[in-house]
Amino acid sequence: MGIEVRNITKTFGTFAALRDVSLGVATGELVALLGPSGSGKTTLLRIIAGLEEPDPGSGAILFHDEDVARRRVSSRRVGFVFQHYALFRQMTVFENVAFGLRVRPKRLRPSRNLVKYKVLRLLKLVQLESMANRYPHQLSGGQRQRVALARALAIEPKVLLLDEPFGALDARVRQELRQWLRRLHDEIHLTSVFVTHDQDEALELADRVLVMNEGRIEQIGTPDEVFHRPATEFVVKFMGQVNFFHGRLEGDKVHFSTMAWDWPEHAGASTQPARVFVRPHELDVDVERNGQPSLQAVVTRIHSAGPNVRLELRAASGEPLCAELTQERFRSLNLSVGNTVYVTPRDVTVFADESPK
Amino acid sequence: MKHTENIRCRAAAATTESRWVRWLLIGVSLTFLGLFLAMPLAAVFAQALSRGWAMYVRSLGDSDALSAIRLTLLVALIAVPVNTVFGVAAAWAIAKFQFFGKSVLITLIDLPYSVSPVISGMVLVLLFGRQGWLGPWLEARGIHVVFAVSGIVLATLFVTFPFVARELIPLMQAQGTEEEEAARLLGASGWQTFRRVTLPNIKWGLLYGVILCNARAMGEFGAVSVVSGHIRGETNTMPLHVEVLYNEYNTTAAFAVASLLALLALVTLVLKSVLQWKTGEQLTPEEQGYTGD
């Protein structure tokens, strides 16, 4: 294990930021901590780094099977990248990257030439060789973030932690830097954890995603698992827009709206209220009934600017729905606002309602 | 197009007064400054030199005047470094940590601003005077505070302690703790973090505070007057010596010493503007950088 967190609890006053959180990050893995603000993801990252102390009596933190909970921040060898970069504003880019090498005790400090060699190699890695003598305020946001990364890598860290690394950047730079970071990770294979509130970022970048809510872990899994097999309702809702129906589990079927859907997992159990979720892109839209069970709805709005077309619908029962079609499909249906359509789910996610009314 | 021009005209009209109001305002300010600042300053130097350059030099060369200058320098030499260390420590604690009693500490730091200096002096007499709470105990051990140099130093320390802290607290609060955290994560010790990261970030603000602190330490009259006892050649600082000379109708000598204090004020003002310009310069490109992303 690259990083292991065992049963960590953290409270600020009366606010429980983390409740008995455990996680393992394999050596060389890139893991995303995903959650809304206030979910505890940044607190968890800061505890791993040693910037915050977990509550007394709560569990251990291990790097490569070595307990570091008692270690001071300065001896944990953590590479940490801050959301707002936290570059040393009085130092040049070169001095920023060299800082971690120059503050070492004398017997461990590399020679002047070695420092120079290492710093220039890192600046080359982050494609900023020509900026060595600039000051942070002379750089763009994306460049500053890469300096911050080079500075963190200079101490040859055991683990790399990134706090909302792209949060302060504009959309285009964010996209570029995201892909660049993934390539970099594939090159250097450093055990890494990054925090984000953007599900696209987490799903695109990470080997595994850890979804957090209210100080607890909702689900840990590969991006595929988290997106296609969400473990909880929170995960379903957090992964993007979703249509929601109250339904009923009965026999091996789930009934919702005017439909019944096969749900073999439930076979044999007693009848129970259920909550049914369908993603917009999992709804098929047709202008006439196609023989399958379907919902009748009216088109209320069309957003066609984008790779897909989003339709806002109102079901005959009154619920608002959202469906997503490819541009080709949309053109072949020849839809406009006010048309009546028939909607069929291709896939649904069902949770038995724990508190039956 | 017409519309935007319209708005621009109205905006200009809203922020710009007519010409004669502008001249009136500038005139009033300049007259006021001339009457209450420039003229007195000129008068000090005129009086000091009224009986010639030789008399001026002789007045300053007088042994009592020299001892007052020495004492003032000594007091500043003790009070300024002590309050610099205290100010940095207090600002560091207040800006970078959360702890119980923080707001009380902030209020206490402001105390010398809100208390009349005379009262600060009286409190020292109350504590350390012959009939004071600690006076007899100290006297038994041969330590004199009131009517002695140590009392003057204490009074000056008290009066000048907010200057450095007050200058640094907002600056350090604005800078936050992330750079320090980054330094610690990179392996720097506490001292390395302070010397290489915190200190360079606050250096101009710190110098600014030190200069203001020094000006006050050298110029303080009220608190020092109460505890000094005005012993010529022993416990007279420059401001006190000016008063003594003036009361003896030795106007030229009084203004000669006063002119030194006035010079100090002028030097302080110049340094202050240079530093303000420096700190401004330090901040501006930073702000530009952040909006330029």
Side-chain angles (χ1 to χ4, degrees), chain A residues 46 74 89-90 103 144, chain B residues 179 181 192 201 282 290:
Chain A
R46 289 174 63 87
S74 52
R89 67 192 87 187
Q90 307 284 348
V103 295
R144 285 183 210 177
Chain B
E179 284 184 48
E181 284 180 347
Q192 282 174 321
N201 279 350
Q282 187 186 339
Y290 278 122

Side-chain angles (χ1 to χ4, degrees), chain A residues 155-197:
Chain A
I155 59 168
E156 286 156 24
K158 292 180 185 158
V159 302
L160 181 64
L161 308 176
L162 306 104
D163 184 10
E164 302 255 6
F166 314 117
L169 302 169
D170 63 47
R172 193 180 50 80
V173 180
R174 192 182 323 189
Q175 187 63 33
E176 277 173 24
L177 211 54
R178 207 192 269 179
Q179 289 161 0
W180 175 83
L181 183 68
R182 181 67 231 191
R183 285 199 302 273
L184 185 74
H185 182 263
D186 292 338
E187 245 172 73
I188 58 179
H189 271 295
L190 192 58
T191 308
S192 308
V193 178
F194 73 100
V195 158
T196 179
H197 60 259

Side-chain angles (χ1 to χ4, degrees), chain A residues 70-94:
Chain A
R70 298 275 160 275
R71 286 250 193 135
R72 296 152 67 90
V73 182
S74 52
S75 57
R76 283 199 188 185
R77 294 259 305 272
V78 171
F80 198 98
V81 176
F82 290 83
Q83 181 179 2
H84 298 287
Y85 331 118
L87 295 179
F88 305 129
R89 67 192 87 187
Q90 307 284 348
M91 299 182 201
T92 62
V93 167
F94 184 95

Side-chain angles (χ1 to χ4, degrees), chain B residues 277-288:
Chain B
W277 172 70
K278 267 281 185 197
T279 40
E281 190 184 51
Q282 187 186 339
L283 284 178
T284 327
E286 192 72 1
E287 282 157 8
Q288 283 169 353

Side-chain angles (χ1 to χ4, degrees), chain A residues 81 87 93-94 96-98 117-132 139-154 160 162 166 176-177 180-185 187-188:
Chain A
V81 176
L87 295 179
V93 167
F94 184 95
N96 263 282
V97 179
Y117 169 76
K118 285 189 169 192
V119 171
L120 291 179
R121 206 185 47 182
L122 279 166
L123 287 179
K124 195 167 177 179
L125 184 72
V126 299
Q127 299 155 2
L128 286 172
E129 307 108 292
S130 57
M131 303 283 175
L139 304 179
S140 72
Q143 290 170 334
R144 285 183 210 177
Q145 194 59 289
R146 282 183 279 151
V147 175
L149 190 63
R151 183 178 71 174
L153 293 175
L160 181 64
L162 306 104
F166 314 117
E176 277 173 24
L177 211 54
W180 175 83
L181 183 68
R182 181 67 231 191
R183 285 199 302 273
L184 185 74
H185 182 263
E187 245 172 73
I188 58 179

